[in-house]
Amino acid sequence: MNHSKSNTQAWIIVLFFTMFMVIQTFNLVVFPACAPEAIATYNITQAGLTTLSSVTSVVGLFTGIVFGPLIDQKGSRNVVLISMIIGIALFFARAFTTSYPVVIVLTFLASFFIAVCQVDASKILDTWFTKDKVGIAVAFQAGGSGLGGASAFFIANAIGLKNCLLLIGAAFTVLLVIWIIFGKDGPIAVSSQEPPKGSVAIVYKSSYVWLISIAYASCVSGTMLINTYLVNAFASKGIPSETVALMGTAINLSLFVGGYLATFLVGVLKKYNLVLAICVIGGAIGYLGCWFLPYGTLTWVFLILGGLIMGGGILMCVSRSPLIPLTGQYPQECIGTASGALETIKGVISFVIPIIVANVFQTNFNAIFITFAVLCLIALLTGSVLVPEVGPNGKLYRESVAKKN
């Protein structure tokens, strides 16, 4: 394949997964973004809204188990194609129900099938980029989540809940067309070897998969808490709803920009552990400051800085799944299974934590923001302190290059 053509198609694949993250995160936060309308439409409480908002996250438990090994064994193209078609149909059906149990089920099933793209991203990008670049490519596409969150608050205020739900189905339909035209494995690191027997067990025995998954789940859960409670938290201080909506947009837009700042920084420093540490420490300071300081200019400063710094936290976790084979804990052929494991473990934790918080703390917003800081500390320990560096400036990567030479 011509190098220029191959490079162009590689970045089209990155764009596909980036737009997937935009739409899927829009889907994740659409209900809290439309909080008053969602509560009225489905006749639910704040706890019910939190449960509904968490459904998209828990699908990772099942998509990781099902689609990770399936992609390793069957390849990406048809698995993604069939799953997307089913998911899109369910998303359109969801837009026309007002029953809370039905919308829970449809959200779960639609998000389950469409989340095959999230599981597949690391696997397929590993076939389009070399090891020194694949982590950055994975981080870049994961950065689309920030734009999805920011656009949800902005668009929800403009068009309402039902139109937002229809928009999700339409946007995924556009992505399906792109996949039909361009979706396939790339020319790099394509192996004819089958995954080893017991590949699932091999991956789940990896201590680094568990540690990075816990860090990943902590970053996701923390971000979900902020997104879910931001509107009602600041509204409880008597801030006008229009201002609170603007804060929601600002925090998610800053997360989006921060994701790409972190991607740029890891491209310069070439160390994932260090960048993750910066993200979670800075994010905790920013969000605690924006909430506990008296409302004013500093609130906005800490809010935006918190998002800009925290924005790369999730990215610095999920982008490492193609690089963990450098530790020797599982082979290259198990990347799909490993990506699925990350989503499975993250799905369980990030589903349970917000529900526990909602039921234990309810509207104790001080405790909720403190919980966010605790999650940042957990991410720091499990994602930076207890795992080896796998970036190009780390010992493991340099040893891998030396062995090849």
Side-chain angles (χ1 to χ4, degrees):
M1 181 184 289
N2 178 275
H3 177 74
S4 177
K5 182 179 178 181
S6 175
N7 189 58
T8 299
Q9 188 156 350
W11 282 102
I12 290 174
I13 297 295
V14 172
L15 179 62
F16 169 86
F17 286 112
T18 303
M19 293 310 300
F20 165 79
M21 289 304 299
V22 171
I23 304 164
Q24 182 70 331
T25 309
F26 185 110
N27 175 51
L28 177 66
V29 302
V30 68
F31 293 113
C34 300
E37 188 177 355
I39 288 172
T41 300
Y42 305 118
N43 193 26
I44 54 177
T45 62
Q46 176 68 53
L49 178 64
T50 302
T51 301
L52 180 57
S53 303
S54 302
V55 168
T56 303
S57 295
V58 79
V59 299
L61 166 63
F62 303 97
T63 54
I65 293 172
V66 174
F67 291 123
L70 190 61
I71 288 166
D72 280 337
Q73 295 166 9
K74 304 295 183 182
S76 301
R77 181 169 174 81
N78 289 334
V79 175
V80 172
L81 178 65
I82 294 169
S83 299
M84 285 190 75
I85 291 171
I86 297 171
I88 289 166
L90 292 169
F91 275 125
F92 278 117
R94 178 183 66 169
F96 295 97
T97 182
T98 57
S99 166
Y100 182 62
V102 174
V103 81
I104 286 276
V105 171
L106 289 176
T107 297
F108 175 84
L109 291 176
S111 300
F112 167 79
F113 284 105
I114 212 73
V116 66
C117 298
Q118 194 163 348
V119 176
D120 187 47
S122 295
K123 175 75 172 181
I124 195 168
L125 289 174
D126 190 62
T127 71
W128 285 100
F129 294 90
T130 54
K131 283 297 181 190
D132 60 326
K133 295 182 176 67
V134 65
I136 295 173
V138 174
F140 186 94
Q141 62 85 28
S145 59
L147 180 59
S151 61
F153 281 88
F154 176 77
I155 295 172
N157 194 47
I159 67 175
L161 177 61
K162 183 173 182 178
N163 287 329
C164 281
L165 298 180
L166 289 170
L167 181 61
I168 289 168
F172 276 130
T173 302
V174 173
L175 277 193
L176 174 63
V177 174
I178 294 173
W179 182 259
I180 291 171
I181 299 171
F182 296 105
K184 64 177 182 178
D185 290 330
I188 300 173
V190 175
S191 173
S192 59
Q193 288 183 281
E194 292 289 325
K197 289 184 178 180
S199 59
V200 173
I202 292 171
V203 166
Y204 278 92
K205 287 179 182 177
S206 168
S207 59
Y208 299 138
V209 165
W210 280 93
L211 287 168
I212 292 174
S213 296
I214 292 170
Y216 180 23
S218 298
C219 290
V220 170
S221 298
T223 303
M224 282 177 61
L225 286 179
I226 299 298
N227 274 325
T228 302
Y229 287 96
L230 181 77
V231 172
N232 288 338
F234 280 97
S236 71
K237 290 187 173 185
I239 299 170
S241 59
E242 296 82 3
T243 303
V244 172
L246 184 60
M247 293 175 77
T249 299
I251 200 170
N252 282 286
L253 189 58
S254 63
L255 284 168
F256 168 65
V257 175
Y260 288 106
L261 287 176
T263 301
F264 171 77
L265 189 59
V266 81
V268 174
L269 299 178
K270 302 186 188 304
K271 287 191 173 184
Y272 291 88
N273 294 20
L274 175 59
V275 177
L276 176 62
I278 293 170
C279 291
V280 294
I281 293 172
I285 293 171
Y287 287 155
L288 288 177
C290 84
W291 174 250
F292 284 103
L293 289 174
Y295 179 76
T297 302
L298 282 179
T299 302
W300 289 88
V301 170
F302 276 98
L303 181 79
I304 294 171
L305 284 178
L308 287 174
I309 301 171
M310 183 66 191
I314 294 172
L315 281 60
M316 293 305 105
C317 298
V318 72
S319 60
R320 279 185 273 184
S321 58
L323 300 170
I324 300 177
L326 294 173
T327 67
Q329 290 198 344
Y330 61 79
Q332 196 72 17
E333 293 77 22
C334 293
I335 288 177
T337 302
S339 298
L342 256 70
E343 294 302 323
T344 296
I345 299 166
K346 181 268 294 182
V348 174
I349 298 172
S350 60
F351 178 73
V352 171
I353 288 177
I355 293 175
I356 292 174
V357 169
N359 287 280
V360 172
F361 298 132
Q362 298 182 17
T363 57
N364 184 345
F365 299 120
N366 289 342
I368 289 166
F369 275 82
I370 291 172
T371 300
F372 167 79
V374 171
L375 289 170
C376 287
L377 175 61
I378 294 171
L380 174 66
L381 293 174
T382 58
S384 291
V385 177
L386 299 177
V387 296
E389 177 58 61
V390 292
N393 274 350
K395 180 182 177 182
L396 290 175
Y397 183 86
R398 291 197 298 267
E399 288 177 350
S400 173
V401 172
K403 287 179 182 178
K404 291 179 180 178
N405 295 335

